[in-house]
Amino acid sequence: MTSYNPSVFLLMVNGQIEGANFPEYDDLYCKYCFVYGHDWAPTSGLEEGISQITSKGRDSSRSLVWNFPLDITFKSTNPFGWPQIVVSVYGPDSFGNDVVRGYGAVHVPFSPGTHTRTIPMFVPESTSRLQKFTSWLMGRRPEYTDPKVVAQGEGREGRVMPCIFTFYFLTHVP
Amino acid sequence: NHSRFFSDHIPSSKMMFPHTTPTLSLVVLRKRALSQYAWWFVFVGVSLCLTNQAETGLPSAEEAYNFFTFNFDPEPQEDQHKGRLKRRPRRGEGEGEEEEEEREDEETETEDEDLFIIDQSARDFLEVTRAECMEYSTRVQREEELLFTPSTRPVPAYSKLPENVQPRYLEEEGLYVGERPPVSLSNQNILENRILIIYKFDVLFLCLHSIAVALHCSVELGVLSISAQTLTSKHMNRYTVGIGDSQGDYQLDVDVSGLVFSHHPLFSREHVLGVRLAQLCDQQLSRQHKDLNRLLSDKVSGLNGLRNTNEYRMCFIRHTRRLRDAEQEKDRTLLKSIIKVWKELKALREFQRFTNTPYKLYIRKCVEQASDELEQEAEVQAEVAELRAEYTEDYETKMSGYRGQLEEWKSWRRKEKVLKKKQKQRKQLSRDEEDEGSEEELGEEPVKPEAPEKPDLAGLEQQVRKKAAKIRRRPGEPVLLPELTTAGPVTPNEQCPRGELARREDVTKRSLYIKVLYNDKEVSRTDSRSLSTDFRVHFGQIFNLKIVNLPESIKLQVIYESIGSSSSQLAEVCVPIPESSVLTGTAPSEELEFSSNQRVMFNHEGVGSDVPFSFAADGSDRHTLLTSAKLSCCVSWAVGEGGVPLAPPTSQPAAGLHSGLRQRDAIACIGASGLNDMKKLRKWAADSRLDPNDPNNASIMQLLSVAVPDYFRLEQLQEEFNFPSDGELDRSRRFRLLRLRSQEVAEFRNLKAIPALEREISEKVFEDYECRLKEVERVDAKDHIDGHRALVAKYLQKVRKSVVNRFLITKHHFILSDLVIEEEIPSIGILGLNLFKLAEPKRPLKPQRKERKKVTAQNLSDGDIRLLLNIIRGYDIPVRRPNASKPVGARKGSRSYGDPFTSAHSSQTALQGSEWPLGQPVIQPFVEVSFQRTVLRTSTAEGPNPCWNEELILPFRCAPSGDYSTSSLQAVRDEVFINIFDEILYEVVEDERERGASVHTRIERHWLGSIKIPFSTIYLQSRIDGTFKVATPPVLLGYSKERILGSEGGYDAVRSPSEGTFLTLFVTIDPQLVPGDPIREKKFDTQETERLLLACELYEKDAHRRFPDRRCVTTVVDMNGKTVFVTRFIRPLTPPQELLDAFPNSPQETMELVARYVSFIPFLPDSVSFASVCDLWSTCDQFLTLLAGDEEEHAVLLCNYFLAMGKKAWIIIGSALPEGPTAYVLTQEHSRYLIWNPSTGQYYGQYDTFCPLQAVGCLINTDNVWCNIQVYAAPMRMSFDVTKPKCWKPFFSRTFPDPGLSSVQPEYLVYRRTDQTAAAELQDRIEKILREKIMDWRPRHPTRWNRYCTSTLRHFLPKMELSGGREVSEEHRVDVLIGCLISGFPLHLPFSEIRPIIEAVYSTGVHNVEAPSVEFALAVYVHPYPSNVLSVWVYIASLIRTR
């Protein structure tokens, strides 16, 4: 860089999306992306990604395992807007349409070390039963315009219908 | 007596008394202080157990039950009472009372008999007796017998102390005495009195009382066997403090070296004497060491030498002398006794014929010098002289006293004599009593003083000499120095008699050992050593004690063993705990004396202990001695490796053992590490009550007072964590930056990576922002005509700012559909449509435009957005004038521009057609689109009605900082210019001969007209599709309008009412951007009634439900952001008078003028001024003040003017091309409706094909709002008769009548005349700027200005203004411009700023002419209208000299 070297700090995130526990669904894949504040910038690594499709394991826990690696480095000048990872899980419904099965977000851990995070996942619910039916019929479930909204505070006043799906996420923050 | 006393104890809470009369002493007792009871209780507490429950006089449970359940007979209460009395044991009651009761008993007994007789009838009477009550005085008296009340008066000191003892006041002696706990003086006095009287305690205890009080051990004190021991023990317990924290390496070395008996039961007599002798010799030796005698003698002689007869000095000398004499005397007696004992010893040895002890006394004689005698003599003389002087003095004082007494006596005698004489005389008169009285008066006869004896000065010397002889050795006598050795022979056992032998055997049987007890626990013991014959036991053992607990006591127990019998403890010796400075190796050995009072008797020579014995054979001179010994031992702190003392380092001496109260060692308490902790040290100091006055403690006290602050800081890091003040925060650049960003200030809205450190933020960051802030105040005058406009701009800025702030909150409000994509419920219609779609042909012949997917603006970047323009065709483009359109011959042709260029010149059209034989078409128009300085053009078409059908793609860049958010897109002010040009080819071949060989042409293009479409319109509408009227200049030099009647005749008839050129366009943005959210207006403040608002909502909802694409407006937002009902804006307002006066005869023209006036007010869309903010309606006065507004403001103003002019006028809310949702004005003229475009000032008939108004949503009038409920919304196909309820749905109806809403408009408008000079000034400035700009735009060519042409044009322009741009003759300039090829046109603009004018000029492309001989002409005319409304004309022309 030039002689002007602004003081920044780096946040390196290694980790993996280990797996999820969606009791009702199978053959899911997930997308992740990072949401961060104005003062943050990724310096290396992938900001978003999409995982392979995974099927349920044969073991008793019947969990979905992705073991999808994450590796990204941020630089920032301000802890405000600490990165959050937003994960959305998709899978086929009974008609084969790709529908969203869950959204979730969690902050990248604040302290170095190995952390395991469990993200509760949720999907927006249809506003009425009829719409629920039609959306099921047409294979177009309600979904967020942008998955990043789950990491933002704006416009989320109490209309999120949680589903109880766990989701593991392991990071190492050096 | 004691038990009596305690029987009336007072349980402090219940106050029950064991008396027959339970109420007896309550009153009296209550008078005493309650605290006193506490003391009582304390002392009595122990013996409480002695008292019996039966004594309390309470009825038992059974009795109580009987009492309450018994069906009382009329028998008097007394009976009951008596019965109870009888049952009650009377142990501890007063005798008097007993007697009394006995009497009563007798009575009751007699009564009892009677009662038994009349048992049955007894219940029938009720005998009333007087309540048994005792007189108060008797009660008190009796009580005094029984109760003891200690007085509260202080106990006099004499009764506390034994006789001849003075009380000590330690405080007064300057010693530190700890604070006593607060005990009231009266309580203390009571306690003292009590102790004095009841317990008759030791005086010692009374002395202790203050301590006792101080120690709160009141309860323990109650125990009778109180002693100092308990006190200490209690406190000793406190010292077993856990010193776990100070696991220091402390080690005590106890060195038990030996034991020497000074008396032992097994001593023989000789031993006794020997020991005595040894002691005396020791004494002698120590005295010799001190040599007091010599010291004092020197002192005396020294004092004598001074010979100063001072009284005091004399006295001092005398005193010293006396001391010396005493010492000398002691020396002498000691010497004498040594010799005496030695003689006795020798006698004893001789007597018993053996020696037991090796003692042998030598007496050394020192021969005196000759001077000795003289010295003594001199001494005697001096003393004698002294004494003599003293005596003389004494005698004199006595004599003087005697003389005085003698005088007194003599005078008395004289008086007596006189008296006696008198008495004699009186006796003669009355011989009675009086003589006695008079004699008494005289008092006793004083003793006659005796004269003091004369001192016997002669005897003095004798006296002195005698004394000297007694206490001193005689002169010449040798000095005797006794010297004791133990080298004497001891008679061996064989030669001893049996008794002695038995003793000696006994001695050998004995052995001793010593136990070492540390804190009363045995830690080790010495080896057992047998007693030697000289009664010395040598142990020589050192015990190393590792200390964990605080040393409280170190004791050595001397255990006595004898073979064949059990061991017994001889004595216990307490060894003081050494100071920490006492270390092994340097510590001196101490000799501790102890004795035992055991009584031991022997039947052999041993003298025994506590047994009288005598040295003399006859048994006289008996002595009784107790076993005693000296234990020599040494306790010291060990020295560790490297000479480190293993002792607690403290300045506080471990003097504790002796003063139990203060035995607190800092180290022991808080540990060595604790010494660094000031807090602990302070606590310890407070707890241990260090004497602050003790010099030993001075250092620690100073340390405490200096180092430990009196306060305790809760969070010492507070300063670091203090939040900065507001001022600091404001000053911080970083914080300011962050704050501005969060406020979404335009410059900082999308700032990334604000530096972490203050110093990395340069001040420049704020420069732009601050400049802008300053600009708000100081609007630069260059762009504005005058101060007024500057003020307006400033006002506009302010309004904008406040409104933007107001909307910031609503902007951040989302609704569900913003976040969640959800399929709408498909209606049957849609479903049917979808089904129908299945049957659709795959590739229809007439494909319909499909809706594209909308893209949210946030993830866009540069280059993603393109502007698509589909230019389809043009209509009615002006054609070249025939004579001008022969460019081929133009080289020579002296072209005449003589014919006036009028729009309707149909006469020439026929001619025209015939005059283009060479294939040069009448016109070759093309369309050029410029947007953000990007210019694209279509291909050239031919004819006045060309068809291009071309798509142009223009890139779109968002100017401000690459931000593609909705709000910034809306704020883009760029406009799309669509210009129509005519392309003309000129042959430039100079030589005729070359004509056949080569073609040289020059392309020239002439501007014919333009369409302006603001980007914001495109953005908000997402597509613009339709036929637009091209704004053509009123005068186009060299062109004329063609009327082609032949080919499109039928069509012509239709479009005839409107004149002009038209262009069919389709404009859109790719990808389709989501337009800004409509602001949900319900959130704004309002002053309308709730009912009206509700009705509005219903009305609009209904309208929207029925016709979703028709706009229906009932409420609007005014400049203050408040919701206002729309009819309030409509009110007749008179237009400026000069406009009305212009055409007094023609109302039609007046209306046109008024419309023109309104259209001159600059157009400023709300979405541009108030980014992403909904429509704001300003009132007409605000509009005129601001001189900016969008369609609504124009429409409102125009409508109000028309209403004032007596017309029937409405505002049409609908949609038009190209502006989209807009407002027009409808007027009714004799059953004919005219639609006015308020922004342009043009009007259209209802059936005009090219009327830009496409749909009518609603009509608004002063009184009502009508919603269009007709099938069609196009003006051509609908009826404007609002009275038809089938066509129009009114807002105010019979069910909801108009509540009479007042207007928000002012009653009349005030117009100010615009300053002519200011207009002229502006004119000059615009001209100057434009000239410069044109020169700038032509950087590679010289720009020449044709002055003549310019001045001609300048004269021409005002006429254009007057004529409204229509009826203009061109002849005036034609003659001037002979020989020139001229192309140019006037531009007509409303004035708001200079920048749009420049843009407009640029878009014409006049400056692009690159002919070498080109000249330019530029004229600007500004016509002022009232209220600073300015009409600007710019005439720009290019001239090419052809001659």
Side-chain angles (χ1 to χ4, degrees), chain B residues 144-160:
Chain B
E144 268 171 8
E145 287 170 19
L146 296 168
L147 300 178
F148 166 69
T149 314
S151 94
T152 55
R153 270 171 303 194
V155 182
Y158 62 83
S159 58
K160 282 198 259 186

Side-chain angles (χ1 to χ4, degrees), chain B residues 683-827:
Chain B
K683 190 169 177 291
W684 164 79
D687 286 353
S688 61
R689 298 188 190 151
L690 275 187
D691 186 352
N693 303 324
D694 189 345
N696 286 338
N697 299 338
S699 59
I700 198 167
M701 279 298 163
Q702 199 194 0
L703 185 72
L704 287 176
S705 63
V706 171
V708 182
D710 241 354
Y711 52 85
F712 156 67
R713 180 163 276 182
L714 196 63
E715 288 153 32
Q716 63 252 57
L717 293 174
Q718 186 59 47
E719 250 170 57
E720 278 81 352
F721 287 104
N722 269 344
F723 203 71
S725 65
D726 285 351
E728 274 174 78
L729 279 181
D730 288 344
R731 256 176 277 130
S732 162
R733 284 200 290 273
R734 181 166 190 261
F735 186 70
R736 190 179 171 200
L737 215 56
L738 289 169
R739 205 162 38 178
L740 287 171
R741 183 175 70 182
S742 98
Q743 283 169 2
E744 302 199 339
V745 174
E747 284 91 340
F748 308 102
R749 193 181 297 150
N750 289 293
L751 213 59
K752 299 239 158 96
I754 290 174
L757 298 173
E758 180 92 27
R759 59 182 154 82
E760 287 169 4
I761 303 168
S762 65
E763 275 294 335
K764 283 178 196 159
V765 175
F766 299 105
E767 269 174 15
D768 286 350
Y769 174 64
E770 273 160 7
C771 276
R772 204 193 71 185
L773 288 185
K774 269 179 206 159
E775 259 175 41
V776 172
E777 276 126 52
R778 161 197 73 74
V779 177
D780 99 30
K782 201 170 67 182
D783 289 354
H784 301 283
I785 175 174
D786 49 19
H788 172 71
R789 293 222 172 215
L791 279 175
V792 166
K794 191 175 154 185
Y795 175 71
L796 203 62
Q797 289 267 14
K798 268 188 188 167
V799 170
R800 184 177 298 177
K801 199 178 155 195
S802 69
V803 172
V804 164
N805 284 340
R806 195 185 291 265
F807 287 119
L808 266 180
I809 307 158
T810 45
K811 219 187 87 181
H812 281 277
H813 186 83
F814 294 92
I815 59 165
L816 182 63
S817 60
D818 296 337
L819 294 173
V820 180
I821 304 166
E822 193 176 14
E823 286 288 293
E824 280 178 26
I825 304 172
S827 64

Side-chain angles (χ1 to χ4, degrees), chain B residues 236-256:
Chain B
M236 293 293 265
N237 290 340
R238 279 205 340 223
Y239 307 144
T240 51
V241 197
I243 47 166
D245 56 334
S246 67
Q247 286 293 356
D249 252 346
Y250 303 142
Q251 187 180 325
L252 269 179
D253 288 352
V254 182
D255 180 358
V256 184

Side-chain angles (χ1 to χ4, degrees), chain B residues 377-398:
Chain B
E377 187 56 40
E379 189 124 317
V380 169
Q381 287 305 325
E383 200 180 332
V384 166
E386 219 170 272
L387 279 174
R388 188 176 292 155
E390 191 185 330
Y391 281 141
T392 328
E393 201 179 304
D394 192 31
Y395 172 73
E396 271 167 18
T397 50
K398 275 182 185 165

Side-chain angles (χ1 to χ4, degrees), chain B residues 1149-1412:
Chain B
E1149 280 178 42
T1150 312
M1151 278 176 80
E1152 279 175 35
L1153 187 64
V1154 167
R1156 253 161 63 78
Y1157 172 72
V1158 171
S1159 70
F1160 286 149
I1161 300 173
F1163 180 83
L1164 185 72
D1166 281 336
S1167 59
V1168 176
S1169 54
F1170 309 120
S1172 82
V1173 162
C1174 68
D1175 256 357
L1176 291 184
W1177 287 42
S1178 51
T1179 57
C1180 291
D1181 54 335
Q1182 283 168 339
F1183 179 49
L1184 282 173
T1185 321
L1186 291 173
L1187 287 175
D1190 63 358
E1191 303 93 351
E1192 289 89 358
E1193 279 84 37
H1194 287 90
V1196 166
L1197 186 64
L1198 190 61
C1199 179
N1200 289 345
Y1201 282 161
F1202 286 159
L1203 288 171
M1205 286 156 74
K1207 307 285 178 194
K1208 280 186 121 181
W1210 297 266
I1211 286 174
I1212 304 170
I1213 303 289
S1215 59
L1217 288 171
E1219 55 263 49
T1222 187
Y1224 275 58
V1225 175
L1226 180 78
T1227 53
Q1228 191 183 11
E1229 299 272 345
H1230 317 292
S1231 78
R1232 201 177 148 230
Y1233 290 99
L1234 288 179
I1235 298 165
W1236 298 78
N1237 184 347
S1239 315
T1240 58
Q1242 283 174 334
Y1243 65 94
Y1244 308 91
Q1246 191 190 348
Y1247 303 106
D1248 191 337
T1249 329
F1250 291 101
C1251 175
L1253 190 68
Q1254 299 292 304
V1256 176
C1258 65
L1259 294 181
I1260 297 161
N1261 200 352
T1262 322
D1263 315 313
N1264 214 337
V1265 176
W1266 292 272
C1267 181
N1268 180 12
I1269 52 170
Q1270 297 168 57
V1271 181
Y1272 301 104
M1276 266 190 287
R1277 303 168 81 174
M1278 57 187 284
S1279 156
F1280 282 107
D1281 188 359
V1282 292
T1283 52
K1284 287 182 184 167
K1286 272 190 178 176
C1287 300
W1288 297 97
K1289 185 192 172 195
F1291 180 77
F1292 293 118
S1293 57
R1294 241 174 260 158
T1295 50
F1296 186 69
D1298 188 354
L1301 299 167
S1302 63
S1303 178
V1304 292
Q1305 302 282 12
E1307 280 184 36
Y1308 53 89
L1309 293 171
V1310 181
Y1311 305 98
R1312 282 171 296 116
R1313 281 200 69 82
T1314 308
D1315 194 358
Q1316 292 282 352
T1317 53
E1321 220 171 86
L1322 182 73
Q1323 185 181 317
D1324 288 349
R1325 203 162 67 212
I1326 292 169
E1327 198 174 324
K1328 204 178 147 203
I1329 288 167
L1330 281 178
R1331 268 165 206 262
E1332 279 168 13
K1333 284 285 173 193
I1334 288 169
M1335 279 149 91
D1336 285 349
W1337 293 330
R1338 296 167 53 82
R1340 293 185 300 156
H1341 302 280
T1343 308
R1344 284 183 289 272
W1345 297 98
N1346 190 320
R1347 286 173 177 239
Y1348 180 68
C1349 184
T1350 302
S1351 64
T1352 317
L1353 295 176
R1354 202 172 279 160
H1355 287 294
F1356 170 66
L1357 281 173
K1359 288 176 193 161
M1360 299 272 290
E1361 173 62 39
L1362 284 177
S1363 67
R1366 274 172 298 172
E1367 293 149 29
V1368 188
S1369 60
E1370 282 188 27
E1371 67 268 20
H1372 59 281
R1373 59 202 159 97
V1374 174
D1375 49 337
V1376 172
L1377 301 168
I1378 287 168
C1380 289
L1381 188 66
I1382 185 165
S1383 73
F1385 39 83
L1387 296 170
H1388 186 208
L1389 301 158
F1391 178 77
S1392 59
E1393 279 177 74
I1394 287 178
R1395 201 177 70 92
I1397 299 170
I1398 296 165
E1399 286 294 313
V1401 171
Y1402 181 83
S1403 70
T1404 61
V1406 172
H1407 58 277
N1408 288 336
V1409 179
E1410 288 179 3

Side-chain angles (χ1 to χ4, degrees), chain A residues 4-8 38-40 77-80 124-128 130-131 134-135 138 140-146 149 154-157 159, chain B residues 734 738 741 744 749-757 759-761 812-826 834 856 858-859:
Chain A
Y4 174 68
N5 199 8
S7 58
V8 293
H38 285 296
D39 298 327
W40 291 77
T77 57
N78 195 352
F80 175 73
E125 195 80 40
S126 296
T127 40
S128 68
L130 180 62
Q131 274 184 324
T134 54
S135 68
M138 300 176 74
R140 294 205 36 145
R141 306 289 167 88
E143 56 185 64
Y144 285 119
T145 51
D146 186 356
V149 297
E154 282 186 341
R156 293 185 54 193
E157 296 92 13
R159 59 177 95 84
Chain B
R734 181 166 190 261
L738 289 169
R741 183 175 70 182
E744 302 199 339
R749 193 181 297 150
N750 289 293
L751 213 59
K752 299 239 158 96
I754 290 174
L757 298 173
R759 59 182 154 82
E760 287 169 4
I761 303 168
H812 281 277
H813 186 83
F814 294 92
I815 59 165
L816 182 63
S817 60
D818 296 337
L819 294 173
V820 180
I821 304 166
E822 193 176 14
E823 286 288 293
E824 280 178 26
I825 304 172
N834 285 346
T856 43
Q858 53 235 31
N859 38 20

Side-chain angles (χ1 to χ4, degrees), chain B residues 879-926:
Chain B
V879 294
R880 294 171 198 158
R881 292 275 302 272
N883 36 3
S885 61
K886 275 197 176 160
V888 185
R891 199 183 50 185
K892 283 185 196 151
S894 53
R895 300 264 63 85
S896 78
Y897 290 88
D899 296 316
F901 181 88
T902 49
S903 55
H905 225 281
S906 54
S907 60
Q908 286 191 355
T909 48
L911 224 165
Q912 234 172 11
S914 63
E915 272 196 25
W916 295 95
L918 292 172
Q920 270 275 24
V922 282
I923 191 162
Q924 287 183 307
F926 68 92

